[in-house]
Structure formats: structure tokens, C-alpha cells
Amino acid sequence: MNFNSHTDDVVAHAVKLVNGLTEGESRGRPYPVPDVVAAGLAVLDGISRRTALTEDEARELAAVARELRAVFEAVAAGDLDAAAGQVNRLLEETQARPRLERHDGEPWHVHFHGVGGTITADWGASCATGLAVVLGGELHDRLGVCTAPHCDRVYVDTSRNGKRRFCSTACQNRVKTAAFRARAHTA
């Protein structure tokens, strides 16, 4: 499953932002964001040339991540209208505008930037646009929230059959092990 290589990357970055900068549960344990600056830098590592974040920038990035989470949650709940409404709000908020760019030896491709050139506006605009491309296509149901107990991390299903239900193999194995133990206990 491919949207296009750049959209795939942007949607994967949205997942990374949501999972790294929103509190909840991960793999059966509480997931707090203890240090928002460190978490923000960890999320941006490898996807941005940024090597520093202010406390305010990190908090703003975490706020964008919470807004992106709402899109994944709406799709997982089967409410495409709510997901589209949330993406439209983000697009409006960031005033996403397209620009053709070429970097790192890649061919020309479309980037979306927000007004003001801040990290929050640019990442919010880019991720909202990537999610808009997904929601506007036939593969909109590929966004999800992990169905394992005590895990609310999000994912994009890139499998061939589109049947993914877990954020990771660890969660999938946790659920399978629990089911096996339950069957063995009742046998």
C-alpha cells in the first residue's frame, strides 16, 4: 500500500509525532511524556535538521500531536466525517500552502508549510495535508489506533491486505499470548 513516497513519509511522521508526544498507554503500560523538549527532539530525530527546541515550541508541537491523534481516533471509530472535520480545522489553522521542493537528492515533490515558518505550523501543515490525502482517497481506513488492551498508540496500516489492528508486533504478541493462556486455563 502506497499513497506516494512523500505522503507515506509525512503520514509516518504524523504517527511518530502522535506516539511520541501524546500521553496515554503503550504496550500495556502508562505512557507519560515526562520531558516534552526531549520527547520532541526524539520525535524530530531523523526527520528534521532541527537540533534544538524551546519549551514553548515543544509544547506547541505536542498540542499539534494531540490534534493529529483525534484524526486517528475518529477513523478508528469509523467516523470519517469527524476525521475530515479535524483535518480541515488543522489545514485552516496552519494555513497549509504548497511549495515544490527538491532536497537530499530526491526529485521535486510537494511540501506544505504553515504561515510563519515555525516548526509547529510547518509540521502541523505537512501532517494535516498528508492525512488529508489519505482521508480523501480509498485507503482512508488504513489509519488506526492499537486494539491491544492498555495501548492507544496510533499506526498506519501499510500491509497488503489492510487488516492490521496493532501498533507493533509487541502488542500483537501480547494479545496472542493472553488469548493462548486464557484457552489453556479453560481447557
Side-chain angles (χ1 to χ4, degrees), residues 5 13 19 22-23 35 44 48 52 66 80 108 129 160 166:
S5 63
H13 299 333
N19 288 342
T22 62
E23 293 181 348
D35 178 351
L44 295 176
S48 173
R66 286 189 295 276
L80 191 57
W108 286 101
T129 302
R160 240 182 224 179
F166 304 103

Side-chain angles (χ1 to χ4, degrees), residues 62-151:
V64 167
R66 286 189 295 276
E67 291 186 60
L68 294 170
R69 172 176 281 289
V71 176
F72 286 87
E73 290 173 344
V75 171
D79 192 348
L80 191 57
D81 291 341
Q86 180 66 12
V87 167
N88 282 337
R89 275 189 296 284
L90 280 165
L91 290 169
E92 180 70 28
E93 219 172 80
T94 61
Q95 298 180 28
R97 59 191 197 284
R99 180 173 173 81
L100 281 171
E101 295 189 15
R102 182 170 56 185
H103 54 84
D104 302 327
E106 293 182 26
W108 286 101
H109 55 277
V110 179
H111 274 237
F112 284 83
H113 296 280
V115 172
T118 66
I119 190 160
T120 304
D122 286 348
W123 278 104
S126 186
C127 291
T129 302
L131 292 174
V133 169
V134 173
L135 293 178
E138 58 192 41
L139 300 174
H140 62 271
D141 58 347
R142 297 299 186 106
L143 303 177
V145 178
C146 188
T147 60
H150 306 292
C151 187

